[in-house]
């Protein structure tokens, strides 16, 4: 029987439950055109009056990067993936993008370097609670105050609840309603948008 039916009764982390995570990966969930949901959020978020440094975690061969680069001319993009073959694809396709092989939970960037951190299809590959917490901590470190994290993945609702809890613990604020596209059972494609702030809510209006 699928383990997700009883996962909420578990006292432990969903991310640390390897049976649950293994089941999720075996489903190999995808949503056709899911990058369009990411781009819609970016359209509302990116203002044409300033430049943005954007980090894409788990960038793969750079398909999302291609869409973003075509749509916006006031951005600089860094791609990061743990798989060297993916970074090779990205380097070949995007000459004006910085592409790096690295672990998303140990980012080789300075504090406050980015205005926006994006992940698409990354969360389901987290290998435990500690890794999830490190990932959120690293995203916070490389974001400037007032910067945003935008993440999308086909994941279980309990994983979303846990991951959002880590974001809130690290001073992230959800000022925008999360979007989702239902697939089946309790697994949906979630779009989460959080702002990292050291200042009161709505401070991003003056940035």
């Amino acid at each position: 029987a699928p383990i997700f039916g009883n996962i909420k009764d578990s006292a432990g982390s969903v991310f640390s439950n390897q049976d649950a995570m293994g089941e999720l990966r075996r489903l190999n969930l995808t949503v056709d055109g899911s990058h369009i949901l990411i781009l819609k959020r970016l359209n509302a978020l990116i203002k044409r009056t300033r430049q943005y440094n954007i980090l894409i975690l788990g960038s793969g061969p750079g398909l999302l990067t291609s869409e973003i680069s075509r749509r916006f001319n006031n951005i600089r993009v860094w791609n990061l993936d743990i798989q060297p073959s993916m970074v090779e694809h990205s380097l070949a396709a995007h000459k004006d993008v910085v592409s790096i092989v690295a672990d998303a939970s140990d980012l080789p960037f300075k504090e406050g370097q980015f205005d926006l951190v994006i992940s698409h299809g990354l969360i389901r590959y987290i290998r435990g609670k500690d890794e999830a917490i490190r990932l959120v901590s690293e995203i916070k470190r490389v974001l400037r105050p007032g910067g945003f994290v935008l993440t999308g993945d086909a994941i279980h609702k309990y994983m979303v609840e846990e991951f959002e809890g880590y974001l809130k613990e690290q001073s992230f604020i959800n000022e925008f309603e999360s979007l989702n596209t239902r697939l089946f059972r309790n697994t949906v494609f979630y779009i989460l948008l959080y702002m990292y702030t050291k200042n009161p809510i709505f401070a991003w209006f003056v940035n």
Side-chain angles (χ1 to χ4, degrees), residues 17-183:
N17 187 320
Q18 292 306 302
D19 289 335
M21 296 299 290
E23 180 187 341
L24 179 67
R25 296 185 191 108
R26 284 193 299 273
L27 293 174
N28 194 27
L29 294 171
T30 59
V31 178
D32 291 339
S34 60
H35 64 285
I36 298 300
L37 300 177
I38 297 280
L39 292 170
K40 285 182 178 179
R41 279 301 171 106
L42 290 178
N43 280 336
L45 192 61
I46 292 180
K47 311 302 180 186
R48 304 290 179 173
T49 54
R50 52 163 297 199
Q51 293 292 123
Y52 291 82
N53 290 334
I54 298 177
L55 172 62
I56 302 180
L57 302 177
S59 57
L63 299 179
L64 183 59
T65 301
S66 296
E67 295 286 349
I68 293 173
S69 298
R70 280 197 291 268
R71 192 165 296 207
F72 304 101
N73 59 11
N74 58 331
I75 62 172
R76 188 180 182 198
V77 178
W78 282 255
N79 280 345
L80 183 143
D81 201 284
I82 201 169
Q83 298 291 338
S85 60
M86 293 296 177
V87 173
E88 289 176 9
H89 283 295
S90 179
L91 285 169
H94 306 97
K95 303 300 183 183
D96 57 343
V97 171
V98 180
S99 297
I100 299 172
V101 178
D103 189 332
S105 60
D106 186 18
L107 297 173
F109 304 111
K110 65 182 181 180
E111 183 176 343
Q113 183 170 342
F114 297 100
D115 303 289
L116 177 64
V117 175
I118 301 172
S119 76
H120 184 234
L122 175 67
I123 295 177
R124 77 178 84 170
Y125 294 103
I126 292 174
R127 295 289 179 176
K129 176 181 177 179
D130 291 343
E131 185 176 328
I133 293 173
R134 285 198 307 273
L135 173 60
V136 172
S137 180
E138 279 292 89
I139 291 173
K140 173 184 175 180
R141 182 182 65 80
V142 302
L143 272 176
R144 68 170 181 85
F148 289 88
V149 56
L150 176 60
T151 182
D153 205 344
I155 53 179
H156 195 277
K157 67 176 183 178
Y158 302 144
M159 295 171 64
V160 175
E161 293 169 358
E162 184 175 342
F163 194 75
E164 286 190 297
Y166 299 145
L167 287 169
K168 292 172 183 176
E169 288 173 2
Q170 292 284 347
S171 302
F172 284 86
I173 295 174
N174 184 0
E175 295 188 8
F176 299 85
E177 182 182 357
S178 297
L179 300 178
N180 65 77
T181 301
R182 184 161 300 281
L183 298 178

